[in-house]
Amino acid sequence: MASPKLAPFLVVAALMLRASHAHLSPFFHAKTCPQLPFLVLNVVAQALQTDDRAAAKLIRLHFHDCFVNGCDGSVLLEDVPGVIDSELNGPPNGGIQGLDIVDNIKSAVESACPGVVSCADILAISSQISVFLSGGPIWEVPLGRKDSRIANRTGTSNLPGPSETLVGLKRKFAAQGLDSTDLVALSGAHTFGRARCFFFTGRFDNFNNTGRPDPTLNPVYREQLRRLCTTQQTRVNFDPITPTKFDKAYYTNLINLKGLLQSDQDLFSTPRADTTAIVKDFAANELAFFTQFVKSMIKMGNLKPPPGIRSEIRQNCRRVNPVKAYDIM
């Protein structure tokens, strides 16, 4: 008998196995790879047993993929001089992790269903399963993406930065067709995972060259962070209370001036911002957060590559297929 914890996943997985012929649909792989949700679930669950950051790593990869040329698996492509200028070389992707987990998922999927599930789809469904296994909502993931044969390193400038102001955040989200509610909801993925200290230690003492600490950073929390940051490469939990759980604590932290990154805290602390009320709503109502998070994840996951880009189902997520093997769309 399935455990009560897995019951919602089994319901959604069953729905995803219904037949459909839509291009991007939760049921796209119902006939070609009916065991897909369970294959991904197994690998992600195994990864979480030894790496409590595995879930956050996977959802970050999906986010960073979709914001550059749409959700096309391009973030996974490694550098090939003269051929692929990897997005992994872009500054916003410095220190990004989780490619080994994607490799393991791809290996399991290829063994069961060779040549039918894209790496872009793997990022999308592994993000959903990561959220669910961490205590968050479950949803039907639209599938049927293809993998790009190119990367766009310069396009990584589209990604929000850790010191981004709210104006910059809104501009970058709006460029993807995402509004303020999507911005606040998707930022809630920072309810788990960690960030390296050099992304936020500038808030401690001489914030924006003022000679003073960031006034929107709780002083007690600031000193806790200072003690934790023994090096600039040290990774610190986004949420100091429930660091591996997907919950609404991120928003409570913002209200208490305990947002780890400036880009987090600005969602609440920017004067007269429309995002402040959304943060308060999600802090008071976890169901409201979960409901909107699902809507915003599906919306982001539907971002399409620009027209004319060649695509395929990659055999190895880190490399394009040999020319003779790929299927040009």
Side-chain angles (χ1 to χ4, degrees):
M1 180 179 295
S3 70
K5 177 179 175 61
L6 286 179
F9 174 81
L10 294 174
V11 171
V12 171
L15 291 171
M16 291 174 68
L17 299 183
R18 296 181 300 183
S20 172
H21 299 289
H23 174 64
L24 203 63
S25 162
F27 326 118
F28 188 87
H29 298 298
K31 292 183 177 179
T32 57
C33 194
Q35 61 271 60
L36 176 62
F38 304 99
L39 293 168
V40 180
L41 174 70
N42 183 54
V43 177
V44 175
Q46 287 181 358
L48 282 167
Q49 290 178 4
T50 56
D51 180 4
D52 60 8
R53 294 174 52 234
K57 291 175 181 178
L58 290 168
I59 200 168
R60 184 186 182 202
L61 281 168
H62 182 44
F63 183 97
H64 283 225
D65 183 38
C66 292
F67 261 61
V68 181
N69 279 15
C71 309
D72 63 353
S74 59
V75 70
L76 303 170
L77 287 173
E78 293 183 331
D79 209 44
V80 179
V83 180
I84 300 293
D85 189 5
S86 177
E87 292 170 22
L88 298 172
N89 296 333
N93 286 327
I96 201 166
Q97 298 176 317
L99 274 73
D100 56 329
I101 307 171
V102 176
D103 290 341
N104 291 338
I105 297 171
K106 181 64 170 174
S107 178
V109 171
E110 285 296 306
S111 293
C113 319
V116 297
V117 181
S118 69
C119 301
D121 271 356
I122 284 173
L123 290 181
I125 194 170
S126 65
S127 295
Q128 170 229 39
I129 289 171
S130 294
V131 168
F132 171 69
L133 291 179
S134 301
I138 191 75
W139 64 96
E140 294 182 9
V141 181
L143 300 169
R145 300 166 188 83
K146 291 295 182 86
D147 298 319
S148 172
R149 286 185 56 84
I150 64 169
N152 183 7
R153 183 181 63 83
T154 58
T156 61
S157 61
N158 297 334
L159 290 161
S163 300
E164 199 95 47
T165 64
L166 183 59
V167 171
L169 291 170
K170 284 189 170 187
R171 176 173 50 81
K172 289 184 174 181
F173 272 71
Q176 306 295 338
L178 302 170
D179 60 22
S180 293
T181 303
D182 298 315
L183 165 60
V184 178
L186 293 172
S187 295
H190 281 177
T191 192
F192 57 9
R194 298 174 192 158
R196 286 177 291 175
C197 287
F198 72 79
F199 285 129
F200 57 84
T201 50
R203 304 178 70 197
F204 292 174
D205 298 304
N206 187 28
F207 179 65
N208 288 346
N209 296 316
T210 61
R212 298 180 179 181
D214 183 347
T216 68
L217 180 60
N218 182 296
V220 174
Y221 182 50
R222 181 186 70 226
E223 296 310 309
Q224 291 173 347
L225 292 174
R226 194 192 301 274
R227 289 191 293 272
L228 289 171
C229 288
T230 54
T231 75
Q232 288 294 295
Q233 296 296 325
T234 300
R235 295 180 186 267
V236 174
N237 292 322
F238 276 107
D239 176 11
I241 307 302
T242 55
T244 62
K245 186 177 180 183
F246 195 93
D247 56 21
K248 67 181 180 67
Y250 169 79
Y251 302 103
T252 304
N253 291 338
L254 298 187
I255 292 172
N256 293 328
L257 303 186
K258 293 183 177 181
L260 188 62
L261 305 179
Q262 178 188 343
S263 57
D264 292 320
Q265 192 59 53
D266 276 6
L267 298 177
F268 178 76
S269 297
T270 301
R272 297 175 299 279
D274 60 346
T275 53
T276 301
I278 304 170
V279 169
K280 289 180 178 178
D281 182 32
F282 291 165
N285 187 340
E286 189 166 79
L287 180 59
F289 164 45
F290 283 4
T291 300
Q292 184 58 51
F293 183 79
V294 168
K295 292 179 181 178
S296 297
M297 282 292 288
I298 292 173
K299 190 174 178 181
M300 182 187 75
N302 284 339
L303 294 175
K304 294 183 172 69
I309 290 182
R310 295 182 300 170
S311 61
E312 63 187 4
I313 303 295
R314 258 180 244 145
Q315 298 165 358
N316 180 328
C317 289
R318 303 194 193 206
R319 296 191 293 273
V320 298
N321 295 340
V323 174
K324 62 180 181 180
Y326 74 80
D327 174 25
I328 298 178
M329 295 300 294

